[in-house]
Amino acid sequence: MKIAIIGQQDFGKAVLDAFLARGDEVAGVFCAPEKPGAKADPLRAAAQEKGLKVFQLKSLREPQAHDALKGLRADLGIMAYVLQFAPDSLTKMPRLGTIQYHPSLLPKYRGPSSINWPIVRGDTRTGLTIFRPTEGLDEGPIVLQRECEIGPDETLGDLYFNKLFPTGVKAMLEAADLV
C-alpha cells in the first residue's frame, strides 16, 4: 500500500519503521517544523535518512499541504502523533482516506491530556483508539480500539512507553489492513 505519514517524534518514527519493515511504500512524510535550536525530530531525521520526501509546514491547512499530499497520490493517510489540526479536505484526500492514532479509549478522553485523565481519576483501564478523523477534536468513526490495565503505581510515562506506544504501533498496522 502507498501511504503518507503525518506525525512527529519517536512514535511517528516507530510507525514509519513498522510500515517500511512490512513492505509498504511511504510516498512522503509530513511533520511540524522544529523550533530554532531544538533537537531534530526523530521522524523527520529517519525519513530523510531513508531518502523519503519530507514536508515541514507550519500548518496542515496551508494550500502547500494539500498540494503536497495530492501530488503523492497516496492510498492511505496515517496520522501518528499529530498535534497540528488536519482539515477534512486533507484527511479525505488519499484514495482510502486517513486513520489516526489517539492514546485513549475515545470518546471518553479527548485532547492532549488523554493519558493523564484516566490516571488522575483512578481508572483501572485505558487504551488507544485508531479512528478516521473528522473536523472535531479527536472525533470520527472508530476503526479499532485496544485496552490495557493501569497498574496502581503506573505513571504516565510507564503507561505510554510500556503499553500505549508499542500497542499503538501494532494497531496502526492492523487498522491500515482493515481499511
Side-chain angles (χ1 to χ4, degrees), residues 82-104:
V82 177
L83 299 178
Q84 294 176 315
F85 178 78
D88 270 356
S89 55
L90 188 82
T91 61
K92 291 182 178 175
M93 196 171 287
R95 184 176 63 86
L96 300 171
T98 298
I99 57 174
Q100 181 172 347
Y101 166 83
H102 186 74
S104 80

Side-chain angles (χ1 to χ4, degrees), residues 17-33:
D17 290 342
F19 276 100
L20 288 173
R22 75 174 204 168
D24 289 284
E25 178 186 349
V26 177
V29 172
F30 293 78
C31 51

Side-chain angles (χ1 to χ4, degrees), residues 102-104 109-123 125-127 150 154-157 159-160 164:
H102 186 74
S104 80
Y109 298 112
R110 301 180 195 274
S113 296
S114 59
I115 302 171
N116 306 42
W117 283 114
I119 296 170
V120 169
R121 292 193 172 152
D123 294 355
R125 299 197 64 72
T126 190
I150 302 173
E154 278 188 304
T155 65
L156 183 145
L159 189 57
Y160 180 69
L164 299 174

Side-chain angles (χ1 to χ4, degrees), residues 54-160:
V54 175
F55 305 93
Q56 287 188 285
L57 305 166
K58 287 184 181 181
S59 172
L60 295 173
R61 296 179 195 209
E62 294 179 16
Q64 297 91 329
H66 288 72
D67 293 344
L69 186 57
K70 185 176 182 178
L72 296 177
R73 294 193 170 109
D75 295 314
L76 184 63
I78 305 291
M79 294 178 70
Y81 188 52
V82 177
L83 299 178
Q84 294 176 315
F85 178 78
D88 270 356
S89 55
L90 188 82
T91 61
K92 291 182 178 175
M93 196 171 287
R95 184 176 63 86
L96 300 171
T98 298
I99 57 174
Q100 181 172 347
Y101 166 83
H102 186 74
S104 80
L105 294 171
L106 293 174
K108 190 171 182 180
Y109 298 112
R110 301 180 195 274
S113 296
S114 59
I115 302 171
N116 306 42
W117 283 114
I119 296 170
V120 169
R121 292 193 172 152
D123 294 355
T124 58
R125 299 197 64 72
T126 190
L128 62 93
T129 303
I130 310 297
F131 67 104
R132 290 187 166 278
T134 58
E135 291 285 340
L137 176 64
D138 299 328
E139 292 181 357
I142 293 171
V143 177
L144 67 82
Q145 292 185 309
R146 295 289 174 262
E147 287 190 24
C148 64
E149 289 184 29
I150 302 173
D153 297 320
E154 278 188 304
T155 65
L156 183 145
D158 296 334
L159 189 57
Y160 180 69

Side-chain angles (χ1 to χ4, degrees), residues 158-178:
D158 296 334
L159 189 57
Y160 180 69
F161 290 108
N162 298 332
K163 296 178 181 177
L164 299 174
F165 184 116
T167 304
V169 173
K170 292 175 190 166
M172 291 298 285
L173 297 172
E174 186 179 344
D177 291 340
L178 290 172

